[in-house]
């Protein structure tokens, strides 16, 4: 048996000390900036405009899957972003409220509010509470379903265990005026824990425990500094900082080659930075980012449709006049069936070809229409190179069309 890997708390504390000495230049960090530039853990910078859909910003891609960070931008033309951090079944949401007079958020059910207070205040757990582990595909499914149900309250998930299933199991989609911006920048980051809005004083540390027992271990701390909020988990080797303009994720060096998401894989190499969720390598940062998008109807602008990542299939006759089905080795952005392309770019794509009559090929023909083929094409030979259209923006088709 292969031993399980866990980040070292001692190592992470050492990194915190080194950060103080080097003025925060020691810990690997990723940053999403107000100008839509993203800086990865391996110091690669690219531009991508995050929209209303959640994107996987960073996650532990090892079998333990100990954390997940999602990011979205409720208003595409503004810099403010919403960040969701998942640690051992606890969801911490950091975002800027839309106006200064209301504490707008997903309104929790009475059960959500009570359980959140119990976890923070250390009260005894209620009967019927569970501590089961929640697979990451369930988290993504819940977030997708919740976005459809806004503004109604989301159903409380009582799973409080560490995220444990592998990333390959999750099926992913597979100028304002300067005066108004200045006014908006004064709004503090709002914090919700499992749907319940939290109020705490600046520079005061809030402890978030694994469950409602006062003796349970602390999974993370929250601290407000001015208009920003910092989430820190020494156990998980993770720090997330959110302010009105930027999102910053810092991780322990123990996560090297263990990460996935818009922040990159943190393998120390810059040549393969655009690695998708199934270890496929993209040439375009836009398609790379779209591969980490969590689609839902709620996050689509009116009249628009989000592209999905699919392996393109073409047929051909080989030298022996036998029919083959050729699949692109890397997924390409394609518009859903009920939409048409609004913007596209030509890509040179490698294909792997298989005898079309084989039963396994027929299964792949059906499967490629519904989701990326993933590791089925990893390491396969390149039998054909052809230019294809990557459909980067899609519009809803009307009846007349």
């Amino acid at each position: 048996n292969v031993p399980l890997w866990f980040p070292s708390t001692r190592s992470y504390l050492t990194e915190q000390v080194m950060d103080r000495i080097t003025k925060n230049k020691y810990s690997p960090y990723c940053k999403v900036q107000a100008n839509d530039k993203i800086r990865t853990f391996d110091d690669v910078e690219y531009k991508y405009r995050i929209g209303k859909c959640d994107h996987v910003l960073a996650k532990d891609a090892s079998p333990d899957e100990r954390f997940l960070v999602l990011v979205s931008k409720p208003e595409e033309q503004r810099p403010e972003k919403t960040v969701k951090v998942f640690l051992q079944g606890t969801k911490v949401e950091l975002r800027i409220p839309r106006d200064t007079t209301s504490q707008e958020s997903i309104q929790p059910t009475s059960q959500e509010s009570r359980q959140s207070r119990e976890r923070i205040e250390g009260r005894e757990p209620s009967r019927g509470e569970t501590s089961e582990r929640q697979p990451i595909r369930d988290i993504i499914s819940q977030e997708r379903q919740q976005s459809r149900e806004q503004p109604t309250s989301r159903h409380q998930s009582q799973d409080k265990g560490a995220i444990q299933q592998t990333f390959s199991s999750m099926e992913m989609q597979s100028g304002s005026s300067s005066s108004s911006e200045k006014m908006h920048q004064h709004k503090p980051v709002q914090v919700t824990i499992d749907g319940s809005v939290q109020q705490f004083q600046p520079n005061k540390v809030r402890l978030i425990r694994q469950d409602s027992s006062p003796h349970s271990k602390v999974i993370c701390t929250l601290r407000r500094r001015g208009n920003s909020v910092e989430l820190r988990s020494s156990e998980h080797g993770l720090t997330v900082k959110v302010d009105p303009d930027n999102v910053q994720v810092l991780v322990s060096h123990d996560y090297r080659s263990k990460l996935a998401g818009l922040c990159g894989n943190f393998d120390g190499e810059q040549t393969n930075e655009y690695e998708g969720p199934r270890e496929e390598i993209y040439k375009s940062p836009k398609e790379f980012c779209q591969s980490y998008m969590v689609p839902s109807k709620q996050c689509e602008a009116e009249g628009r449709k989000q592209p999905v990542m699919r392996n393109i299939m073409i047929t051909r006759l080989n030298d022996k006049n036998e029919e083959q089905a050729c699949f692109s080795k890397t997924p390409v952005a394609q518009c859903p069936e009920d939409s048409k392309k609004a913007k596209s770019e030509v890509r040179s794509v490698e294909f792997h070809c298989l005898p079309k009559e084989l039963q396994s090929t027929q299964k792949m023909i059906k499967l490629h229409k519904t989701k990326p083929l993933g590791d089925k094409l990893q390491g396969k030979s390149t039998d054909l190179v052809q230019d294809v259209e990557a459909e980067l923006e899609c519009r809803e088709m009307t009846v007349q069309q």
Side-chain angles (χ1 to χ4, degrees):
N1 293 332
V2 178
L4 294 178
W5 169 86
F6 293 93
S8 168
T9 301
R10 180 178 299 175
S11 173
Y12 186 60
L13 292 174
T14 302
E15 289 165 15
Q16 293 180 38
V17 174
M18 291 298 296
D19 274 333
R20 288 183 177 274
I21 297 174
T22 62
K23 296 182 179 179
N24 294 321
K25 293 181 180 179
Y26 181 77
S27 287
Y29 75 92
C30 168
K31 191 172 185 179
V32 183
Q33 304 172 63
N35 59 2
D36 295 324
K37 287 186 178 179
I38 299 176
R39 189 260 194 200
T40 71
F41 292 118
D42 289 325
D43 199 18
V44 172
E45 191 174 87
Y46 63 91
K47 198 160 187 177
Y48 175 72
R49 176 170 289 182
I50 296 172
K52 295 181 179 180
C53 288
D54 282 325
H55 289 68
V56 177
L57 181 59
K59 71 175 295 294
D60 174 11
S62 74
D64 301 299
E65 288 204 331
R66 307 186 76 204
F67 76 85
L68 167 69
V69 182
L70 301 179
V71 64
S72 63
K73 190 191 291 188
E75 299 180 47
E76 291 187 12
Q77 302 303 321
R78 303 196 64 83
E80 299 83 16
K81 301 165 188 70
T82 295
V83 177
K84 301 171 185 176
V85 183
F86 295 86
L87 292 169
Q88 296 183 215
T90 298
K91 174 186 174 182
V92 180
E93 185 171 335
L94 311 169
R95 69 194 191 101
I96 307 294
R98 291 183 184 175
D99 60 73
T100 56
T101 59
S102 67
Q103 292 292 330
E104 179 195 357
S105 72
I106 303 168
Q107 293 301 316
T109 63
S110 59
Q111 183 183 20
E112 284 179 316
S113 299
R114 173 178 53 78
Q115 291 176 345
S116 180
R117 288 196 304 271
E118 288 174 351
R119 177 183 289 124
I120 296 166
E121 297 169 4
R123 297 180 182 175
E124 289 302 312
S126 303
R127 294 180 61 183
E129 290 188 1
T130 65
S131 57
E132 298 174 357
R133 294 173 180 262
Q134 184 178 25
I136 198 167
R137 65 166 178 261
D138 293 346
I139 291 176
I140 297 297
S141 178
Q142 287 174 3
E143 292 306 300
R144 184 185 294 117
Q145 183 64 27
Q146 177 181 331
S147 66
R148 292 194 185 113
E149 296 174 351
Q150 298 274 9
T152 58
S153 62
R154 76 179 180 92
H155 295 292
Q156 166 73 359
S157 170
Q158 295 178 336
D159 299 335
K160 298 184 178 71
I163 302 170
Q164 67 173 4
Q165 291 198 0
T166 59
F167 188 56
S168 61
S169 67
M170 101 187 216
E171 291 188 8
M172 305 188 56
Q173 61 99 352
S174 342
S176 303
S177 66
S178 58
S179 60
S180 64
E181 285 191 2
K182 289 180 180 178
M183 179 186 69
H184 210 71
Q185 288 173 359
H186 290 294
K187 297 180 182 180
V189 175
Q190 184 183 86
V191 179
T192 66
I193 299 176
D194 290 335
S196 177
V197 178
Q198 303 298 312
Q199 303 291 343
F200 52 98
Q201 297 299 318
N203 296 318
K204 296 288 185 181
V205 176
R206 174 69 65 89
L207 304 181
I208 309 302
R209 299 186 179 276
Q210 184 174 359
D211 55 43
S212 54
S213 169
H215 305 296
S216 63
K217 66 181 178 181
V218 175
I219 59 175
C220 69
T221 62
L222 291 168
R223 182 193 293 267
R224 185 183 298 280
R225 300 178 186 270
N227 290 339
S228 67
V229 170
E230 177 183 286
L231 179 151
R232 184 186 294 271
S233 175
S234 295
E235 180 191 358
H236 296 82
L238 173 71
T239 299
V240 180
K241 300 178 180 180
V242 179
D243 63 41
D245 291 324
N246 307 296
V247 177
Q248 192 169 5
V249 180
L250 297 90
V251 296
S252 165
H253 283 273
D254 289 328
Y255 281 112
R256 186 169 292 278
S257 299
K258 303 289 185 179
L259 301 179
L262 304 190
C263 288
N265 54 18
F266 187 36
D267 65 351
E269 301 290 338
Q270 296 185 336
T271 56
N272 62 343
E273 197 66 354
Y274 302 145
E275 182 180 90
R278 295 162 186 84
E279 300 183 359
E280 70 277 18
I281 304 298
Y282 292 93
K283 296 180 180 179
S284 160
K286 184 159 188 175
E287 287 179 283
F288 159 69
C289 293
Q290 286 176 334
S291 72
Y292 283 108
M293 183 173 62
V294 184
S296 67
K297 292 183 178 179
Q298 184 69 24
C299 67
E300 292 177 345
E302 186 175 356
R304 294 184 184 179
K305 286 287 188 179
Q306 294 293 341
V308 294
M309 303 306 295
R310 297 288 182 262
N311 296 81
I312 293 178
M313 188 198 79
I314 59 176
T315 57
R316 72 167 188 177
L317 295 176
N318 63 11
D319 297 337
K320 298 179 181 180
N321 208 34
E322 298 170 334
E323 191 172 16
Q324 292 183 320
C326 301
F327 301 91
S328 62
K329 295 171 64 176
T330 302
V332 180
Q334 297 290 286
C335 291
E337 290 184 357
D338 56 347
S339 65
K340 64 175 185 177
K341 64 183 178 184
K343 180 182 178 181
S344 64
E345 293 180 4
V346 175
R347 300 269 191 271
S348 180
V349 178
E350 297 179 354
F351 286 79
H352 176 67
C353 301
L354 297 167
K356 191 174 181 181
E357 73 274 6
L358 293 180
Q359 187 175 0
S360 57
T361 305
Q362 290 298 317
K363 288 182 179 179
M364 290 178 65
I365 291 174
K366 293 180 180 179
L367 189 62
H368 92 282
K369 299 178 181 179
T370 59
K371 64 179 182 179
L373 296 177
D375 57 2
K376 294 182 182 296
L377 295 170
Q378 293 298 315
K380 300 294 185 181
S381 62
T382 299
D383 303 314
L384 175 68
V385 178
Q386 185 167 311
D387 288 344
V388 299
E389 270 192 302
E391 300 170 345
L392 304 178
E393 294 181 9
C394 308
R395 292 201 172 274
E396 205 169 34
M397 293 183 66
T398 62
V399 178
Q400 290 78 11
Q401 295 170 333

